[in-house]
Amino acid sequence: MLDSAIFSIISVGKLQKIMRKNTLKKMNTSLGKVVEYVLEVNGETHPMNNLIGTQIKLEWNGEVICSCGRRDTKFYRSGFCYTCYWEVPQASQSIFKPELCTAHLDIEERDLAWEKEFQLAPHYVYLANSSGIKVGITRGSQGVIRWMDQGASQAILLAEVPNRRFSGDIEVSLKRFVADVTNWRKMLSGTPASIDLVQMKKELSVHVPDDLKQYILADDTVTEISYPVTEFPKKVKSTKLEKTAVIEGVLKGIKGQYLLLDGDRVFNVRAHEGFVVRFSHQPTLQQGVLF
Ligand SMILES: [Zn+2]
């Protein structure tokens, strides 16, 4: 039984993901002059851009909660408990490899009804520049959110297809020419050199399979994205709550879903979804102000 007082419903596209209020969730983003970040945890809303330059603190109580409600001291894999990883459609193979989607052929992987709802919906193939050019796919209107989460500086839509499988097929055909993953260390070390994405789209469109070329979008709008960063790390040092239960430091900026802290440290908020944490902040001593 789900207790609505304890659970909050997070929309992931059309998907509903159930998570407890006291667990970390990825930051909400909105596109302004720079990306505006909001962290919601423990029923509190923190506009994170305002905290840049101040001391922040994350304290983990040693517990994680899977979206199914099971508690443990660690996740089995990819933010799921053992049971969910092997049973729920949200963790099936085609989630990680869209080219394996089969709902459009009425073939079930784990739960055909769920897979149909998830897969048989408009998807986009895009090109983004986060650490150099990459190809990616996203559902419906999630594009800009996806790009902000990945720390992309520029992005363009390449194709709009009626189901996830077709977007996977296009992605596979373009992977021979461009990366499909972000080099996060490079993404966090600065702003990448600008790329002519309209030209790249033109060149790569030639390699889209002939039967899918009809889905290439004529719109060549390039979205430019800037992040609130005062100082990029010189040598990126990843921090994890599994290794250090209390992470604190001066917030130097935010890019993608990463908090950039002093001492060249970075903290991936999204990779810690489901961790039970306390978040707090205070002005730094340099500011000479105390609560
Ligand atoms: Zn679970």
Side-chain angles (χ1 to χ4, degrees):
M1 286 286 283
L2 304 183
D3 178 352
S4 60
I6 301 171
F7 285 82
S8 60
I9 310 288
I10 311 295
S11 267
V12 183
K14 262 189 175 175
L15 284 177
Q16 301 267 284
K17 203 171 179 185
I18 298 162
M19 285 198 151
R20 294 195 186 236
K21 266 188 186 155
N22 53 353
T23 61
L24 211 51
K25 288 162 285 285
K26 81 182 180 83
M27 292 175 281
N28 295 324
T29 51
S30 52
L31 187 59
K33 215 170 167 193
V34 296
V35 177
E36 295 284 339
Y37 288 94
V38 173
L39 181 72
E40 281 177 30
V41 65
N42 294 316
E44 292 170 349
T45 301
H46 304 278
M48 296 300 285
N49 295 44
N50 298 347
L51 300 183
I52 292 171
T54 72
Q55 186 88 12
I56 63 164
K57 188 177 187 182
L58 287 149
E59 297 165 84
W60 181 41
N61 78 346
E63 202 176 26
V64 299
I65 307 178
C66 182
S67 51
C68 69
R70 284 189 190 85
R71 290 166 180 268
D72 208 333
T73 53
K74 61 178 197 300
F75 285 117
Y76 172 65
R77 220 177 270 175
S78 305
F80 291 102
C81 70
Y82 182 89
T83 308
C84 285
Y85 185 80
W86 290 108
E87 289 179 8
V88 300
Q90 289 89 337
S92 65
Q93 251 201 319
S94 69
I95 294 291
F96 308 104
K97 293 190 170 208
E99 66 270 26
L100 298 178
C101 288
T102 52
H104 65 301
L105 302 172
D106 261 331
I107 299 171
E108 180 178 77
E109 215 178 333
R110 287 184 175 178
D111 176 348
L112 190 57
W114 186 91
E115 282 147 9
K116 278 192 165 174
E117 202 193 329
F118 180 65
Q119 295 177 20
L120 306 187
H123 278 69
Y124 291 103
V125 181
Y126 63 84
L127 299 175
N129 177 16
S130 43
S131 56
I133 191 161
K134 66 155 265 177
V135 59
I137 70 171
T138 181
R139 272 168 65 87
S141 59
Q142 291 287 300
V144 182
I145 292 171
R146 186 64 167 257
W147 302 332
M148 293 187 287
D149 285 350
Q150 290 177 345
S153 295
Q154 303 169 278
I156 190 171
L157 292 175
L158 187 136
E160 180 184 359
V161 296
N163 63 60
R164 185 169 158 87
R165 172 60 184 261
F166 288 0
S167 60
D169 289 342
I170 295 179
E171 188 185 39
V172 166
S173 70
L174 301 183
K175 269 192 220 176
R176 292 180 286 148
F177 308 99
V178 289
D180 66 326
V181 289
T182 300
N183 177 335
W184 61 272
R185 284 183 183 275
K186 203 172 159 198
M187 182 275 285
L188 292 174
S189 59
T191 303
S194 182
I195 292 175
D196 184 346
L197 289 180
V198 176
Q199 183 60 26
M200 289 303 295
K201 174 176 168 180
K202 208 168 146 191
E203 287 174 22
L204 288 166
S205 293
V206 175
H207 303 290
V208 170
D210 283 342
D211 56 332
L212 297 175
K213 279 199 167 72
Q214 56 179 308
Y215 299 115
I216 294 171
L217 289 165
D219 183 357
D220 281 340
T221 304
V222 174
T223 301
E224 307 270 348
I225 305 170
S226 298
Y227 298 88
V229 176
T230 55
E231 196 183 328
F232 284 104
K234 284 164 195 70
K235 193 175 182 308
V236 176
K237 288 179 204 150
S238 163
T239 55
K240 291 187 166 72
L241 290 170
E242 298 99 311
K243 285 188 184 148
T244 317
V246 180
I247 293 174
E248 58 183 320
V250 178
L251 185 62
K252 299 283 189 179
I254 313 171
K255 191 174 182 195
Q257 281 288 331
Y258 285 86
L259 302 177
L260 311 183
L261 300 171
D262 57 11
D264 292 339
R265 293 172 301 154
V266 301
F267 178 79
N268 185 347
V269 176
R270 191 170 203 176
H272 289 85
E273 280 192 331
F275 280 66
V276 179
V277 297
R278 249 184 61 120
F279 176 80
S280 58
H281 58 88
Q282 57 179 348
T284 54
L285 291 175
Q286 290 94 309
Q287 289 182 309
V289 191
L290 291 171
F291 283 113

